Amino acid sequence: MFRRNEVLDPAVAAELEALDAALAGERLDVEIALILGEARTAAPTMTPAFADTLERAVASGFGRTGELASAPVKTARARRPRVRLVLAGAAAVVLLGGAGTVLLSSHATNDMLTSSSDDKARPLVATVSSGSAASTTAIAPSSDSAAGGATEVAPESAVAPAPAQSTAKRAAPSSGTTTPGAARKVERAAQLALTTKASDLQEAADGVVRATDRVGGYVQGSEVNAAGRNGYAQFDLRVPADRLQEALAAYSRLASVRSRTQQTSDITSTFNSATERLGDARAERRALLRALAKATTANETASLRARLKLVNSEISRANGDLAAVKRRASYSRVTVTIEPKRAGSAAPAADDGRWTPGDAIGDAGRVLGVAAGVAIVGIAAIAPLAVLLALGLLGTGALRRRRREAALDGPGHAV
Amino acid sequence: MALDTPNTARPAFDALYRATAADLYAYVASIVGDRATAEDVTMAAYERAYRRRRTFDRSRGNERAWLFGIARNAALDELRRQRRSAPLFDEDMLAAAAPADEPEQRLAVRAALAGLDARDRELVALKFVAGLTNAEIADVIGTTSTNAGTRLHRVVAKLREACHVPS
């Protein structure tokens, strides 16, 4: 409490000094001696019984509560449970508030940590289409493939689910080209986006070519620019369909996988159509050849030869179409892009699955950031309560002091 | 700094108790005006002081003033609870200390002491009975040393007037 410290009147100060000197016996003052004597004579003294009780209480450290049980005055011990109750309540409120804040923040932390490793956890999506039908299937995250394991993609029969096949069958009858139970032709394609250090980009690009060669594929087209941080590499590859997964696993080991998608298309109807067109053309040619052998006139022979020429062209086109469809089924198209890592890019540095000191520092920074956020939120939530509590305590203290002082001013004290 | 350390816990408190017991009881009795209540309050004051001895801060005053402050709060709380008046000093003691052949001047001083209001009686008890300094009194009653000195001077002036009664 603020108290104004005034200067004592010199005369009053002198008289107080004289009073102190007289009380100390350093100066003879009859009046003060008289007052002192009367005050001390009239002052009550403890009875021997109480003096003994007090002595024992002090000697025992006030350990025996029974000794004071009959006293009407509230002792510190008697008041303590209430104080403890209030403190426990306040602590409970603070703890509950803190726990709630921490829970919320830990949820936020999980979100943050999840999003930070989003690229690792993000499932790859394979879009599977069969004729006019298509389905989407989640497959293993890229971190698996990055760790060296080949991504398991559902077998053909699984990725082209029965309903999709049914749809294809229902759509096919009009053309009459789909033979139930015949081997289906499936075209597969994949896109792979890789990131690596700018200095390793050329090596990764070379690795793509080597891996393609290893699986018996070939590079349809490529563009590589290893110019530092702005470098990039892009490949249009063809790999044998039955070694697609092996090739993708090999590419994934070359750098960090940022994204990977696969598509599967059923091209059975296209294959059957080309096959039937070829068969029809060949049958027509055989018929024309037979007719030519039986031709008797020059005009008839010339007409048949012209028709044969057209049919041969048709056979050539049909052969080309069939070969193209077979290529689509036997070789998968794979597009691989490689980009250098950029600071703050979505692809984290730990995509190789190892927890490095750099990761630890990053995690520590995030944890500290979250902790600071929690602290700020906690303070924001608790500060108003603390201010109210402090004001309440101050007000209660002031009120108690006023009431105590009023006890001396009560009407009963006017003697 | 606490009143005691683990090594000096009991001796320091015991020394304080022995140095103040009689004065504290007299002071408390001067406020509550009743022997039984004074005993209860004195006991409670010492117990509170004992329990809180580790919270004692010497930079805010000496242990004597601290103890009397605790006793004052206990006494005023009790007084407020009882809502009754407190005569300055024990009536029986006053009667016993007033023989018939008492000089008139002494009787006048005694009457003046009895006529003081509660706040002035408290000052007299703290100064003349307990022997506190003006600074200690200020700490006990929660005011400035200047204010305590001024009020004490005023009380002493009243009592001096009583001494001027011709004998």
Side-chain angles (χ1 to χ4, degrees):
Chain A
M1 181 188 289
F2 177 76
R3 293 174 188 164
R4 193 157 54 98
N5 216 358
E6 298 161 346
V7 179
L8 195 59
D9 182 83
V12 173
E15 290 199 28
L16 288 174
E17 280 181 22
L19 171 65
D20 286 338
L23 289 175
E26 297 167 357
R27 177 175 173 273
L28 181 61
D29 186 326
V30 177
E31 291 175 354
I32 293 300
L34 180 60
I35 296 168
L36 179 63
E38 286 305 306
R40 286 188 175 167
T41 300
T45 55
M46 284 190 280
T47 61
F50 173 66
D52 184 54
T53 303
L54 183 60
E55 178 79 28
R56 280 189 286 107
V58 171
S60 68
F62 300 90
R64 286 166 292 175
T65 53
E67 193 168 22
L68 304 175
S70 59
V73 179
K74 286 189 355 184
T75 62
R77 176 175 295 177
R79 254 192 343 184
R80 193 172 300 133
R82 194 177 67 182
V83 173
R84 280 182 178 169
L85 195 65
V86 171
L87 289 177
V93 168
V94 170
L95 282 177
L96 283 174
T101 311
V102 168
L103 279 176
L104 288 173
S105 64
S106 67
H107 180 67
T109 307
N110 288 339
D111 288 348
M112 184 181 292
L113 293 176
T114 302
S115 69
S116 71
S117 58
D118 193 32
D119 291 313
K120 279 197 258 184
R122 184 193 304 151
L124 296 177
V125 174
T127 304
V128 181
S129 60
S130 176
S132 59
S135 64
T136 300
T137 308
I139 54 179
S142 61
S143 58
D144 290 348
S145 58
T151 301
E152 293 296 329
V153 180
E156 187 181 329
S157 58
V159 287
Q165 287 182 5
S166 306
T167 308
K169 286 173 195 168
R170 281 196 301 274
S174 60
S175 65
T177 57
T178 303
T179 307
R184 306 195 67 80
K185 296 295 178 185
V186 176
E187 179 186 25
R188 294 183 175 85
Q191 292 81 40
L192 199 58
L194 306 175
T195 59
T196 186
K197 286 191 279 189
S199 57
D200 294 343
L201 193 142
Q202 184 63 57
E203 188 183 338
D206 294 342
V208 169
V209 176
R210 281 197 301 272
T212 306
D213 288 342
R214 264 202 308 277
V215 297
Y218 59 94
V219 179
Q220 178 79 25
S222 69
E223 187 177 357
V224 178
N225 176 8
R229 290 199 162 277
N230 294 320
Y232 65 92
Q234 188 167 349
F235 294 92
D236 185 11
L237 308 167
R238 299 292 183 274
V239 297
D242 55 351
R243 302 187 72 178
L244 174 62
Q245 301 310 321
E246 182 186 344
L248 291 176
Y251 301 147
S252 299
R253 281 193 292 271
L254 294 172
S256 301
V257 178
R258 198 181 65 191
S259 69
R260 176 176 151 179
T261 53
Q262 286 182 245
Q263 299 88 32
T264 306
S265 300
D266 191 328
I267 55 172
T268 306
S269 60
T270 309
F271 175 81
N272 290 341
S273 173
T275 303
E276 286 177 9
R277 274 195 297 117
L278 180 60
D280 290 347
R282 280 175 176 168
E284 188 178 358
R285 190 175 68 166
R286 280 195 298 271
L288 286 172
L289 286 173
R290 280 195 300 270
L292 186 62
K294 293 175 184 175
T296 53
T297 64
N299 280 343
E300 191 179 1
T301 301
S303 172
L304 286 170
R305 286 187 186 281
R307 286 284 308 279
L308 269 173
K309 194 176 178 181
L310 289 173
V311 170
N312 282 336
S313 297
E314 175 64 26
I315 288 173
S316 294
R317 275 198 303 275
N319 266 326
D321 290 348
L322 188 61
V325 173
K326 282 181 178 175
R327 252 199 324 275
R328 285 168 61 190
S330 56
Y331 277 87
S332 299
R333 180 176 179 172
V334 179
T335 304
V336 176
T337 57
I338 309 174
E339 291 180 349
K341 284 175 183 167
R342 292 181 175 81
S345 66
D351 274 353
D352 59 0
R354 287 185 298 241
W355 198 61
T356 63
D359 295 332
I361 292 170
D363 289 346
R366 278 192 294 274
V367 169
L368 286 175
V370 171
V374 170
I376 291 169
V377 170
I379 289 170
I382 294 171
L385 294 176
V387 169
L388 286 175
L389 186 65
L391 288 174
L393 289 175
L394 283 173
T396 304
L399 188 63
R400 191 167 54 224
R401 277 192 296 275
R402 284 177 65 90
R403 284 181 175 170
R404 276 179 179 154
E405 294 301 323
L408 284 175
D409 297 329
H413 287 285
V415 179
Chain B
M1 188 173 109
L3 179 62
D4 51 77
T5 63
N7 292 333
T8 63
R10 292 310 304 270
F13 188 81
D14 285 353
L16 178 64
Y17 159 72
R18 298 197 187 289
T20 57
D23 294 344
L24 190 80
Y25 175 80
Y27 168 62
V28 169
S30 75
I31 294 177
V32 298
D34 172 75
R35 279 186 180 277
T37 305
E39 288 176 358
D40 290 339
V41 171
T42 302
M43 180 72 82
Y46 276 113
E47 188 189 2
R48 286 182 196 177
Y50 184 79
R51 305 284 178 211
R52 299 177 192 172
R53 64 193 185 281
R54 295 188 197 287
T55 66
F56 169 68
D57 182 3
R58 198 174 295 281
S59 67
R60 299 173 63 182
N62 65 26
E63 59 266 37
R64 195 174 168 85
W66 171 73
L67 176 63
F68 273 78
I70 290 174
R72 182 176 193 263
N73 287 340
L76 293 184
D77 287 342
E78 181 60 20
L79 202 59
R80 191 157 59 88
R81 201 156 28 246
Q82 293 186 358
R83 292 285 180 194
R84 60 193 174 98
S85 64
L88 171 57
F89 298 111
D90 190 285
E91 300 285 353
D92 299 336
M93 296 289 292
L94 283 171
D101 58 347
E102 196 78 46
E104 199 169 338
Q105 194 180 35
R106 191 172 293 275
L107 292 173
V109 170
R110 194 168 301 155
L113 284 169
L116 293 174
D117 65 26
R119 292 186 184 284
D120 289 347
R121 288 190 318 233
E122 182 185 21
L123 287 175
V124 169
L126 289 172
K127 188 69 182 179
F128 289 89
V129 179
L132 267 58
T133 66
N134 297 347
E136 290 171 340
I137 292 172
D139 284 342
V140 172
I141 65 176
T143 186
T144 62
S145 184
T146 304
N147 182 261
T150 304
R151 286 169 55 185
L152 182 64
H153 174 261
R154 208 174 291 146
V155 176
V156 172
K158 281 186 199 172
L159 294 176
R160 280 186 187 278
E161 280 180 21
C163 296
H164 295 163
V165 174
S167 54

